[in-house]
Amino acid sequence: MPHRSGLTERAVAERALDILDAEGLEGLSVRALARSLGVAPMSIYTYFADRDAILDGVAQLLYAQVEAPTDPRLGPADTVRAIMRSVRQVLHCHPHAVPLVATYPPRTLDALAFVESGYRSFINAGVDPETTARAYRALVAYSIGTAEVEINRYFDDHPAAQPAGSLDAPTLERHTPNISLVGPHLSALDDAEEFEYGLSLLIDGLVPSSA
Amino acid sequence: MPHRSGLTERAVAERALDILDAEGLEGLSVRALARSLGVAPMSIYTYFADRDAILDGVAQLLYAQVEAPTDPRLGPADTVRAIMRSVRQVLHCHPHAVPLVATYPPRTLDALAFVESGYRSFINAGVDPETTARAYRALVAYSIGTAEVEINRYFDDHPAAQPAGSLDAPTLERHTPNISLVGPHLSALDDAEEFEYGLSLLIDGLVPSSA
DNA sequence: ACCTGAACACCGTTCAAGT
DNA sequence: ACCTGAACACCGTTCAAGT
């Protein structure tokens, strides 16, 4: 009888995602995952070759959650904008997964669905495959970069915004006056607004006839 | 007598960077670092509060290596382009450090030097502080995103480019024809070229009078 | 094929003790 | 202030054995 424990690769990956959300990447150990599933640690290796394969599996689950617009009348710019927003939303629901998405590209059919939709909107609009590939690459980099800075709150404790760090405000003002000047504005920026701002710059440049 | 072992925070961080380069992030353990320095594991905690603080220290070392142009006649676009290229170069020399740079922002005076230079070129050109902050944020996200996809070789084994994965070429062709079409172009893209391409799009959009 | 316990070679960090 | 060894509560993974 196969799967005496009732487990499947998918069920293991889904539990892994639960643990990742609750405990973070360090808390997602093979042993903790097995404990949560009520099996011996080594049973996990029936479904995944090693811990990295589990993390890859979690990434595939999240890629599958990305929604792509289905309306074929939508142009490539609007389609890609909707996909990018969906990616951002999924990652905001699973912030600890950002490093995984930065590491493991979509691989399964479900995970690749949104990529196919994005490509289709470009190709159907007459964009050539190479331009499509370049646009996809730039947009992936933008997704990952913005997600990293957002979930790590990269600009929150920026010097001059948070003078409680190792450098005090007078020292900063003397050595880096422009950081003192710009810092407060940096930490006041709105995540969603800045995401849209940079995204528009990219889309306007990447999509040949953005209409 | 302070520092009986002859260690300093900086020396510990530099050895940590050596280990990171040679062994990767997982190989950079507190115990391995202590072993390499010839001290007991707990001695490390004299200089750093915990492992995360060590990783932050390594990031600060790398930020300090970023070179910013000193010519004040250079406009903000050219200044920022040079800084972005230097960041990319430093990260290519230390690929395992990319997740650290994505996590820990510049904090020390040395690490902040290139940020100050970039800000100065904007402010001196008459750009207001908020626009400067928005540009910096977008450029940081772009640096991190492009570095992640480059060091992880994110597009190398993309389906259709590398049909040896779990999906075979006929299955891909049937379910995701556009991925089959675009994939080969994606894996053929040149890292440096695409970096410059997206960077130009951003700079053209971000720098008010790009002249 | 699937699941197990024991074992190996590690971790980060706390603690109490030394100088 | 700095450094130490011992200990605690963990890791991922190999192996040999079970069903």
Side-chain angles (χ1 to χ4, degrees):
Chain A
M1 182 201 291
H3 301 294
R4 284 174 300 216
S5 65
L7 286 182
T8 62
E9 180 179 319
R10 175 167 195 111
V12 175
E14 281 170 349
R15 184 60 61 93
L17 176 56
D18 292 341
I19 295 174
L20 178 69
D21 288 339
E23 313 289 342
L25 196 49
E26 297 199 342
L28 177 47
S29 67
V30 177
R31 293 172 113 106
L33 178 56
R35 205 179 310 133
S36 169
L37 290 165
V39 297
M42 286 313 298
S43 297
I44 301 297
Y45 291 84
T46 302
Y47 305 92
F48 292 95
D50 53 23
R51 183 170 182 264
D52 279 349
I54 300 169
L55 303 183
D56 179 294
V58 170
Q60 302 310 315
L61 285 183
L62 295 181
Y63 287 129
Q65 288 183 20
V66 175
E67 287 179 35
T70 50
D71 188 343
R73 294 168 308 175
L74 228 51
D78 289 334
T79 301
V80 127
R81 195 183 304 271
I83 291 171
M84 292 290 285
R85 285 173 180 159
S86 180
V87 169
R88 177 166 182 264
Q89 194 184 20
V90 168
L91 291 179
H92 272 241
C93 293
H94 306 279
H96 297 297
V98 169
L100 306 189
V101 162
T103 307
Y104 307 101
R107 180 180 47 78
T108 67
L109 274 183
D110 285 348
L112 286 165
F114 79 96
V115 181
E116 174 68 10
S117 291
Y119 282 177
R120 185 169 52 233
S121 77
F122 273 63
I123 299 295
N124 285 357
V127 181
D128 66 280
E130 183 173 4
T131 303
T132 303
R134 301 186 82 184
Y136 174 63
R137 182 175 160 127
L139 291 165
V140 167
Y142 186 74
S143 289
I144 291 172
T146 53
E148 292 272 15
V149 302
E150 286 189 34
I151 62 125
N152 290 323
R153 312 226 55 84
Y154 201 81
F155 303 108
D156 271 23
D157 52 358
H158 201 276
Q162 181 96 350
S166 51
L167 298 173
D168 55 6
T171 303
L172 264 179
E173 174 61 36
R174 177 170 299 113
H175 291 91
T176 57
N178 292 288
I179 288 178
S180 290
L181 180 65
V182 176
H185 294 272
L186 189 62
S187 54
L189 295 175
D190 178 77
D191 283 352
E193 224 170 281
E194 298 312 311
F195 175 79
E196 295 290 336
Y197 173 57
L199 180 58
S200 288
L201 287 184
L202 275 181
I203 290 180
D204 288 350
L206 290 169
V207 183
S209 60
S210 177
Chain B
M1 183 202 288
H3 301 295
R4 284 174 300 217
S5 65
L7 286 182
T8 61
E9 180 179 319
R10 173 163 197 116
V12 174
E14 281 171 350
R15 185 60 62 91
L17 177 55
D18 292 342
I19 296 174
L20 178 68
D21 288 339
E23 313 289 342
L25 196 48
E26 298 199 341
L28 176 47
S29 66
V30 177
R31 293 172 112 105
L33 178 56
R35 205 180 310 132
S36 169
L37 290 165
V39 296
M42 286 313 298
S43 298
I44 302 297
Y45 291 84
T46 301
Y47 306 91
F48 292 95
D50 53 23
R51 183 170 183 263
D52 278 349
I54 300 169
L55 304 183
D56 178 295
V58 170
Q60 302 310 315
L61 284 183
L62 294 181
Y63 286 128
Q65 288 183 21
V66 175
E67 288 179 33
T70 50
D71 188 341
R73 294 168 308 176
L74 227 51
D78 288 334
T79 301
V80 128
R81 195 183 305 270
I83 291 171
M84 293 290 285
R85 285 173 180 158
S86 180
V87 169
R88 177 166 181 266
Q89 193 184 19
V90 168
L91 291 179
H92 272 242
C93 293
H94 306 279
H96 298 296
V98 169
L100 307 188
V101 162
T103 306
Y104 306 102
R107 180 179 48 76
T108 67
L109 274 182
D110 285 349
L112 286 164
F114 78 96
V115 181
E116 173 70 10
S117 292
Y119 283 177
R120 185 170 50 234
S121 77
F122 273 63
I123 299 295
N124 285 356
V127 182
D128 65 280
E130 183 173 4
T131 303
T132 302
R134 301 186 82 183
Y136 174 63
R137 183 176 160 125
L139 290 165
V140 167
Y142 186 74
S143 288
I144 291 171
T146 54
E148 290 273 15
V149 302
E150 285 189 36
I151 62 123
N152 289 323
R153 312 224 56 81
Y154 201 81
F155 303 108
D156 270 23
D157 52 358
H158 201 277
Q162 180 96 350
S166 50
L167 297 173
D168 57 6
T171 304
L172 264 178
E173 175 60 37
R174 178 171 299 113
H175 291 92
T176 57
N178 292 288
I179 288 178
S180 290
L181 181 65
V182 176
H185 294 272
L186 189 61
S187 54
L189 294 174
D190 178 77
D191 284 352
E193 224 169 280
E194 297 313 311
F195 175 80
E196 295 289 337
Y197 173 57
L199 180 58
S200 288
L201 287 184
L202 276 180
I203 290 179
D204 288 350
L206 290 169
V207 183
S209 60
S210 178

